[in-house]
Amino acid sequence: MLLLAVTFERQSVLYEPGRESVFVLTEAVLRTWPGTPALMLAQLDRLLAVESLSTVRLGVVPWRRPVPVLPRHGFRLCDRRAVVVEAFDRERVSVDSAEVAAYEESFARFEGAAVFGGEVRELLLRMMTEFRELGDTVTP
């Protein structure tokens, strides 16, 4: 139950007026799926819903574009004050200004390579079609 509360609290930021949340993913992340096609359809549908919020910008670096740097791990920037670095076994929070600046620079490069708006919706819808075509033929 605690995990659900944390998840809902984290998602509530998406709806705060005056706050902008920017997310950038690689298409490779969206095509590396941990379950069934139905699970991926649900995930992609959620991304479409979040992308439609006025407080959110969702970008995807498509296959056809080279990534600007090799993404070694995920991270979240928090209001230019901290970076949360994600690892397999834990998350590490840093408030070191030089480290935060380095992650801001990396994020800016990924953001510059990503597609947004109509292009990202088109990409997500195309991927959903591909997962629908898989149907139940794939088992985890």
Side-chain angles (χ1 to χ4, degrees):
M1 196 59 117
L2 178 60
L3 180 59
L4 284 177
V6 170
T7 300
F8 288 134
E9 181 181 329
R10 194 180 287 173
Q11 289 182 5
S12 71
V13 171
L14 300 177
Y15 301 94
E16 289 182 20
R19 178 185 291 264
E20 181 183 52
S21 297
V22 182
F23 301 93
V24 177
L25 308 165
T26 63
E27 186 172 342
V29 166
L30 297 176
R31 291 188 179 276
T32 304
W33 39 298
T36 64
L39 174 65
M40 288 309 298
L41 284 167
Q43 294 291 325
L44 294 168
D45 185 63
R46 176 68 179 143
L47 285 175
L48 280 172
V50 167
E51 190 276 334
S52 72
L53 297 172
S54 63
T55 55
V56 172
R57 286 185 64 232
L58 174 67
V60 174
V61 179
W63 284 119
R64 67 184 181 274
R65 293 189 183 171
V67 291
V69 294
L70 182 63
R72 295 188 179 121
H73 54 264
F75 62 92
R76 293 188 310 274
L77 290 163
C78 305
D79 294 328
R80 299 187 148 193
R81 289 182 270 164
V83 61
V84 180
V85 180
E86 301 169 3
F88 283 113
D89 60 344
R90 65 181 170 277
E91 294 181 335
R92 179 180 61 81
V93 178
S94 174
V95 294
D96 177 76
S97 60
E99 188 171 9
V100 171
Y103 278 97
E104 284 180 336
E105 180 183 332
S106 290
F107 183 82
R109 292 177 72 189
F110 276 100
E111 188 176 16
V115 297
F116 290 87
E119 286 182 272
V120 81
R121 283 190 296 280
E122 182 182 310
L123 175 62
L124 294 172
L125 290 169
R126 187 171 53 247
M127 291 175 65
M128 290 177 80
T129 298
E130 292 171 13
F131 278 108
R132 274 191 207 95
E133 289 171 356
L134 289 173
D136 294 331
T137 60
V138 179
T139 57

